[in-house]
Amino acid sequence: MFFGIFICLCSWSLEGVFGSEFVSESVMEGDSVLLSVNITEEQRRDGIMWTYGPNSIPISKLKTDNKYIYYNGPDGRFTDRLKLNETGSLIITDIRIKHSGLYYISTTSQEKPHKIFNITVYTRLPVPVITNSSSLDGSSSSYCSVLCSVMDASHVSLSWYKGKSLLSSISVSEHSNINISLHLECLDDSYTCVINNPITNQTQHLNTDVCHPCAEQTFLDYIIHLSFAAGSLTIVLLIFFVCKKVRKTNQDAETDQAGEQEITYADPTFSRRSGKQMSAVETDVVYAGVMRR
């Protein structure tokens, strides 16, 4: 990301300073690259100059008499690699990492570049190597620990994928040896280790020679698992209904006991009348006479 931001800033800066067309390209080592321009007859008569790098080192020149001149560069890096065509475009053959950088084309009478190219050259990617590392990291034999490695890589990312899903990733910018590990119980899907840069990638698949596959389930296994699940569900439901029944019984018993406690029985009290009292009552009786006709 930082590299991309840097390129964008460079592009903005160069266009702001020079007011020139800016082109950015990424290529692979060993390829031939065409830095395409279309010069006018007036520019051709004036003569054109190709320069390279921050110090604008001359690398190629088209003179006013239509003669081509090529320069090897201070360290000879462009020897036998440059060619100008009739449009003024520059061809770089068998390009290498050391040829990455800025290229300018301008007329011999003007300092401001007509066009600027930013060329980024990437190394060809090696195929990742996957090895079993279970014995090295002390993992249990029931697990599968694997290591994906790449030697001497730069500006790349190394990643593990399960199908199309990214599991883990690591990135480097400078030349270094990189690796990334993966820990599995068994090989249950398609796992791949991928190394990539902005323009290409290389993939290596994890196979059963490195990691043991998971045991395949038969129809009988499914029946057993289904029966076990059904049995477990039955036991849970049975426990639930028993607990519910016991709880209801206890609630009924508590209700009955509470009702019995609310009943209050009074003790009977008997009184015996005396004979005097009886006589007193009797003396109060008045008898009416009976008349016959």
Side-chain angles (χ1 to χ4, degrees), residues 105-220:
I105 180 174
S106 58
T107 62
T108 55
S109 62
Q110 293 181 338
E111 293 183 359
K112 184 182 73 172
H114 169 67
K115 196 171 185 178
I116 304 170
F117 295 84
N118 180 58
I119 305 300
T120 304
V121 184
Y122 291 94
T123 58
R124 295 195 177 276
L125 298 177
V127 178
V129 177
I130 299 176
T131 56
N132 191 315
S133 62
S134 299
S135 59
L136 298 178
D137 59 15
S139 300
S140 170
S141 58
S142 61
Y143 285 82
C144 180
S145 296
V146 293
L147 194 69
C148 181
S149 306
V150 173
M151 306 297 288
D152 192 27
S154 64
H155 297 96
V156 298
S157 293
L158 189 64
S159 310
W160 274 112
Y161 285 86
K162 179 179 181 180
K164 295 183 179 180
S165 300
L166 176 64
L167 299 178
S168 58
S169 182
I170 184 174
S171 300
V172 296
S173 55
E174 301 298 330
H175 281 273
S176 59
N177 301 331
I178 58 174
N179 58 71
I180 187 169
S181 60
L182 178 67
H183 304 283
L184 303 171
E185 291 187 5
C186 55
L187 190 58
D188 61 343
D189 206 331
S190 174
Y191 292 85
T192 53
C193 182
V194 180
I195 182 174
N196 69 282
N197 57 31
I199 59 176
T200 189
N201 66 75
Q202 288 280 9
T203 300
Q204 183 66 274
H205 294 273
L206 177 60
N207 54 52
T208 55
D209 295 336
V210 181
C211 189
H212 56 274
C214 297
E216 294 184 0
Q217 288 190 330
T218 63
F219 179 73
L220 180 60

Side-chain angles (χ1 to χ4, degrees), residues 14-15 21 33-34 82 84 89 102 105 131 138 155 173 188 249 252 269:
L14 289 170
E15 289 187 14
E21 182 181 354
V33 180
L34 173 64
L82 302 177
L84 283 171
S89 300
L102 297 173
I105 180 174
T131 56
H155 297 96
S173 55
D188 61 343
T249 302
D252 293 343
T269 303

Side-chain angles (χ1 to χ4, degrees), residues 241-279:
F241 285 115
V242 169
C243 292
K244 185 176 181 181
K245 180 66 175 177
V246 171
R247 184 178 180 184
K248 186 175 186 306
T249 302
N250 291 339
Q251 289 177 344
D252 293 343
E254 290 175 358
T255 302
D256 294 341
Q257 185 178 1
E260 291 176 357
Q261 290 175 352
E262 292 176 358
I263 299 175
T264 303
Y265 296 93
D267 294 332
T269 303
F270 298 93
S271 299
R272 185 174 183 177
R273 294 182 178 180
S274 63
K276 294 181 179 181
Q277 291 176 336
M278 291 292 295
S279 298

Side-chain angles (χ1 to χ4, degrees), residues 42-61:
E42 181 181 355
Q43 290 170 330
R44 180 183 290 274
R45 289 193 299 268
D46 195 19
I48 62 172
M49 172 74 75
W50 280 95
T51 58
Y52 167 76
N55 297 324
S56 296
I57 300 171
I59 56 174
S60 182
K61 185 177 182 180

